[in-house]
Amino acid sequence: MKIALLAIAPLLLLPPLAGSAQEYEVTRQSYTFMDDRLVISVVGNAPGELQLVRGGRGRVEVAARSELGFPGFGLGGNFTRELRLTAVGAGRVQYLVVVPERVSVSVRLPGGGAASLPTRAAHASYDWGSRDAFVVAADATAGLPLLPTLPGGMFLIHSGTWAPATVNVPDLTSIRTLSVRFEGSEFRIAASRPLSLVVGTEAGFELRISGEPVDLALYVPRGNATFELRSGADRLARLRAGRVEPLCGNVTVQKPTPSQDWLTFHPQDGRLACR
């Protein structure tokens, strides 16, 4: 039980819910769990967020609180165990769920959002129902869409079947590492913490990042005719006629397979030495 208390503790350290002027009671429950697959379904229309974290074997721990109303949950299912999360008369609701190591976890959110927690991922964060519009990539941990995680714990903040011709990251101050990986057939953007994003055009994306340092990764299809990564007026890297070229220093170049080219830039004080 000591482990469970340590796992639940982070929820108690969260700041008060937006717009609240008082503390809200945290509801907790623990379930014995010996299966190898778990579905987590959020039932209802209240906006909210879900934090998943890996814990010890044999138990699922749940904690919840809401802005007004009453959060609730239950574990059921005949063939595949399903943890159902809901809230009655609530504004924004928050859930923290501790799931066992090596258990396969699928997540279903209101509005049809779905994702999975990779078996090797230690944690994941999901947010729904509170966005009025997309904003340019900003330092935000609330009001975000469903954010599945990639291997290594990176949050997938965008994916699409087409890639822009350019991506511009004008300010590198909050960038710890900036990677561009030429591989596959899908354009993706991933980050080491949740970010929100405006969907750009085929001409280009502009990503403005602020706050705590972040690792940012772009996945660009090798089939793109051209691609250019920029930071303001500086050109960092480009793909032209199938050839990948780094154009700045402080870069690590990797080629894991013949069809993959990875460039990872390491800005110093928000700067790179470019041609």
Side-chain angles (χ1 to χ4, degrees), residues 15-268:
L17 292 166
S20 64
Q22 66 185 78
E23 293 297 324
Y24 292 88
E25 182 179 357
V26 176
T27 303
R28 304 182 185 88
Q29 184 63 55
S30 174
Y31 302 96
T32 299
F33 191 85
M34 306 306 295
D35 292 354
D36 59 1
R37 184 169 178 237
L38 174 65
V39 174
I40 299 177
S41 297
V42 180
V43 182
N45 297 317
E49 61 185 291
L50 167 63
Q51 298 281 340
L52 298 184
V53 63
R54 294 285 184 184
R57 296 182 179 181
R59 299 198 74 76
V60 170
E61 308 281 344
V62 189
R65 68 179 184 181
S66 67
E67 179 183 349
L68 308 175
F70 304 93
F73 30 76
L75 183 65
N78 294 325
F79 299 102
T80 299
R81 303 290 277 168
E82 182 176 10
L83 177 65
R84 303 178 183 102
L85 309 176
T86 189
V88 178
R92 186 168 179 81
V93 62
Q94 295 174 308
Y95 301 102
L96 173 63
V97 179
V98 182
V99 297
E101 300 282 0
R102 292 184 290 276
V103 168
S104 174
V105 180
S106 300
V107 179
R108 299 171 183 169
L109 298 185
S116 61
L117 176 67
T119 54
R120 294 184 180 181
H123 59 83
S125 176
Y126 309 91
D127 199 289
W128 64 92
S130 57
R131 300 171 68 219
D132 296 325
F134 285 101
V135 296
V136 175
D139 178 23
T141 55
L144 298 178
L146 175 65
L147 293 178
T149 54
L150 298 176
M154 295 283 279
F155 292 93
L156 179 63
I157 62 175
H158 175 76
S159 65
T161 55
W162 58 266
T166 63
V167 170
N168 185 16
V169 188
D171 187 357
L172 300 177
T173 305
S174 293
I175 302 295
R176 184 167 45 230
T177 62
L178 175 58
S179 301
V180 55
R181 300 185 175 189
F182 297 94
E183 62 180 45
S185 59
E186 187 177 66
F187 176 68
R188 296 182 291 173
I189 302 175
S192 57
R193 59 179 168 85
L195 299 172
S196 56
L197 174 73
V198 114
V199 176
T201 67
E202 292 187 24
F205 277 38
E206 183 173 283
L207 307 180
R208 294 186 178 272
I209 312 296
S210 61
E212 293 297 319
V214 64
D215 298 307
L216 191 66
L218 310 175
Y219 296 80
V220 180
R222 285 300 301 261
N224 257 38
T226 60
F227 177 82
E228 191 170 85
L229 175 62
R230 305 182 66 92
S231 180
D234 293 328
R235 296 184 303 166
L236 277 58
R238 67 185 175 190
L239 171 68
R240 187 171 57 179
R243 181 182 176 186
V244 174
E245 299 178 85
L247 304 174
C248 294
N250 289 347
V251 60
T252 301
V253 179
Q254 298 172 278
K255 194 173 182 65
T257 70
S259 61
Q260 293 177 297
D261 286 278
W262 296 358
L263 307 178
T264 303
F265 295 93
H266 305 266
Q268 301 296 315

